[in-house]
Amino acid sequence: MANFRFLTAGESHGQCLTAIVEGIPAGLKINLDEINKDMARRQQGYGRGGRMKIETDKAEFLSGVRFGETMGDPVTIKVANRDWQNWTDRMSVMGEEYGDKVTAVRPGHADLTGVLKYDRDDARDILERASARETATRVAVGGLCKQLLKACGIEVVSHVVKIGGIGIDESAVDYSQIGQGSSELNCYDPAAEEKMKQRIHEAMVEGDTLGGVFEVIIRGVPLGLGSHIQWDKRLDGKLAWAMMGIQAIKGVEIGAGFKCGELPGSQIHDEMFYDEKHNVYRKTNRAGGLEGGMSNGEDIVVRACMKPIPTLMKPLHSVDIGSGEEVLACKERSDVCAVSAASVVGEAMAAIVIAEALTDKFGNDAMVDLLAAMQAYKARVQG
Ligand code: EPS
């Protein structure tokens, strides 16, 4: 049985979203403002839909925290859906059926497969849970994990590297600023960000949507999290799974990623050097901080690619599952582009995976024991 786990529940337009997190050690001081800053970051971004004007997402702790400190109990977090007020009839828990059914299923969405698999005649029964609204709870859980990681000297940050085919110029990015600044698209190449916004505007006018790529960087991870000994203990595999588990993610890369398939070993592997100050060190990080399924002490670098959102204001050709007729897919309020939001969710999922790996290695009863175990281990491996 895993020593760290979490579950989320809730529909996009239901009363609230909730999460239960088990495995956070006792004695962790909680900074609610920090968590809510990430909740707000997830909501921002040029190209977000009207829903973001309705919500002011806040994480509310219902259990597991007393006087601002964790007790070692399962932590329950609630995120209210303000928009629920407008959906009490259509999303009534025990009332009579109300409102039109969603039957013009959207290509690229869970709609069609979901109604068939779960034997529903209204795609709303599927789309409400498939919605990326659920990621609000993941950011709350990730925010809690980030605080655990911060107490252990680990930081998780992210930035957007591509939207709608417009990429950053890596040489224009001040990597030390990532995680500090306040960019609308969470992009640290200002010239590229302007072009991305222009592209999003064009897509909006065209009734289209855009995807992109974000990068998560995890700094300060001790070497040796994860393991080479079994496929399901590999930290790179867990990170890839966590990223792919975010709605709309279609690809994940670690370090040099797909470039590894193009270049010879001499240009991929990070050569090792030695001096008394650094012990064994590397000058490059094409491995993205992971070798043999284990963290190697360098920054962990993961990229994920998000497809364009399937709700198009100029809808695609589809089929009505009620009548069987060929129709245009349904359209309802949505985002033109949510890659910057996904980057914040990526941070959260990475924080969750690293928190799990860290507590797996160093224990999760009490913070004091975890920190002591980690310090003793670092002293041994770092010499
Ligand atoms: C989201 C809330 C949703 C969408 C988006 C993400 O709000 P609504 O459906 O009420 O407009 O903006 O959801 C989707 C992209 C989707 O496919 O459902 C949020 O809170 O992030």
Side-chain angles (χ1 to χ4, degrees):
M1 184 75 77
N3 65 14
F4 179 96
R5 53 189 175 165
F6 81 102
L7 275 179
T8 71
E11 283 82 34
S12 179
H13 304 100
Q15 192 166 346
C16 65
L17 305 162
T18 45
I20 297 181
V21 194
E22 188 182 277
I24 299 286
L28 177 70
K29 293 226 176 335
I30 302 300
N31 182 336
L32 200 51
D33 289 344
E34 282 292 313
I35 296 174
N36 284 329
K37 255 190 228 162
D38 275 351
M39 299 296 282
R41 285 176 63 229
R42 193 199 72 91
Q43 285 197 262
Q44 74 167 23
Y46 191 76
R48 298 304 308 276
R51 178 74 180 271
M52 293 305 112
K53 294 191 179 71
I54 299 172
E55 304 293 345
T56 312
D57 291 337
K58 300 265 184 240
E60 193 183 334
F61 284 74
L62 303 184
S63 80
V65 178
R66 186 163 177 245
F67 308 134
E69 203 172 290
T70 56
M71 296 181 279
D73 301 347
V75 174
T76 312
I77 306 174
K78 173 182 161 184
V79 181
N81 284 327
R82 284 196 179 183
D83 201 21
W84 180 66
Q85 305 294 343
N86 306 315
W87 288 77
T88 48
D89 293 328
R90 281 170 292 173
M91 290 301 291
S92 168
V93 174
M94 297 302 288
E96 295 293 311
E97 276 190 25
Y98 181 95
D100 293 339
K101 290 182 175 157
V102 179
T103 50
V105 291
R106 289 161 290 180
H109 210 278
D111 298 346
L112 176 62
T113 308
V115 289
L116 295 172
K117 175 175 163 72
Y118 288 92
D119 187 29
R120 314 310 298 163
D121 62 1
D122 183 354
R124 181 154 304 287
D125 286 354
I126 305 304
L127 70 89
E128 282 288 331
R129 182 68 187 153
S131 167
R133 174 86 193 132
E134 182 263 345
T135 60
T137 39
R138 298 208 223 172
V139 170
V141 175
L144 179 63
C145 291
K146 273 187 179 180
Q147 300 197 352
L148 167 64
L149 299 183
K150 192 174 178 185
C152 299
I154 302 168
E155 184 188 33
V156 186
V157 297
S158 73
H159 65 134
V160 167
V161 298
K162 197 178 272 183
I163 285 180
I166 294 167
I168 56 163
D169 170 0
E170 280 180 34
S171 66
V173 174
D174 177 357
Y175 279 79
S176 68
Q177 281 304 301
I178 297 175
Q180 313 286 323
S182 58
S183 138
E184 197 179 359
L185 285 179
N186 196 24
C187 174
Y188 288 80
D189 172 352
E193 185 177 31
E194 265 321 299
K195 284 188 202 148
M196 288 172 184
K197 282 167 74 172
Q198 182 59 35
R199 183 72 197 91
I200 293 169
H201 180 75
E202 285 162 14
M204 187 170 64
V205 171
E206 290 157 7
D208 217 330
T209 56
L210 292 176
V213 179
F214 64 82
E215 179 172 87
V216 176
I217 304 169
I218 316 164
R219 302 169 175 146
V221 182
L223 67 86
L225 296 193
S227 176
H228 63 291
I229 69 153
Q230 202 66 263
W231 72 270
D232 62 351
K233 291 186 189 295
R234 288 182 174 261
L235 190 62
D236 40 10
K238 290 185 182 186
L239 281 166
W241 183 11
M243 294 299 148
M244 287 299 281
I246 299 170
Q247 290 81 340
I249 299 301
K250 280 294 196 187
V252 179
E253 284 186 313
I254 289 175
F258 280 85
K259 272 209 191 88
C260 295
E262 293 168 25
L263 298 171
S266 56
Q267 289 174 49
I268 286 294
H269 300 298
D270 304 302
E271 290 186 283
M272 293 173 193
F273 302 89
Y274 181 85
D275 69 24
E276 293 217 339
K277 186 166 168 240
H278 300 98
N279 214 330
V280 180
Y281 70 96
R282 301 162 180 86
K283 294 178 184 172
T284 53
N285 184 22
R286 291 182 286 258
L290 287 149
E291 288 171 310
M294 293 175 280
S295 56
N296 66 5
E298 304 291 332
D299 286 355
I300 292 180
V301 184
V302 188
R303 288 181 179 216
C305 176
M306 183 187 200
K307 70 183 180 183
I309 285 168
T311 313
L312 273 64
M313 289 307 128
K314 202 171 158 196
L316 297 174
H317 195 270
S318 185
V319 176
D320 186 298
I321 52 161
S323 66
E325 280 168 29
E326 292 193 358
V327 292
L328 291 178
C330 69
K331 51 178 181 179
E332 57 176 60
R333 180 188 61 199
S334 191
D335 311 280
V336 176
C337 177
V339 179
S340 59
S343 69
V344 180
V345 181
E347 276 174 39
M349 290 311 293
I352 290 166
V353 170
I354 300 299
E356 184 199 19
L358 195 78
T359 52
D360 192 33
K361 180 147 178 59
F362 300 117
N364 65 346
D365 290 337
M367 277 307 288
V368 65
D369 295 334
L370 185 157
L371 290 170
M374 189 176 74
Q375 267 152 24
Y377 169 78
K378 277 186 170 176
R380 178 176 74 73
V381 296
Q382 285 167 4

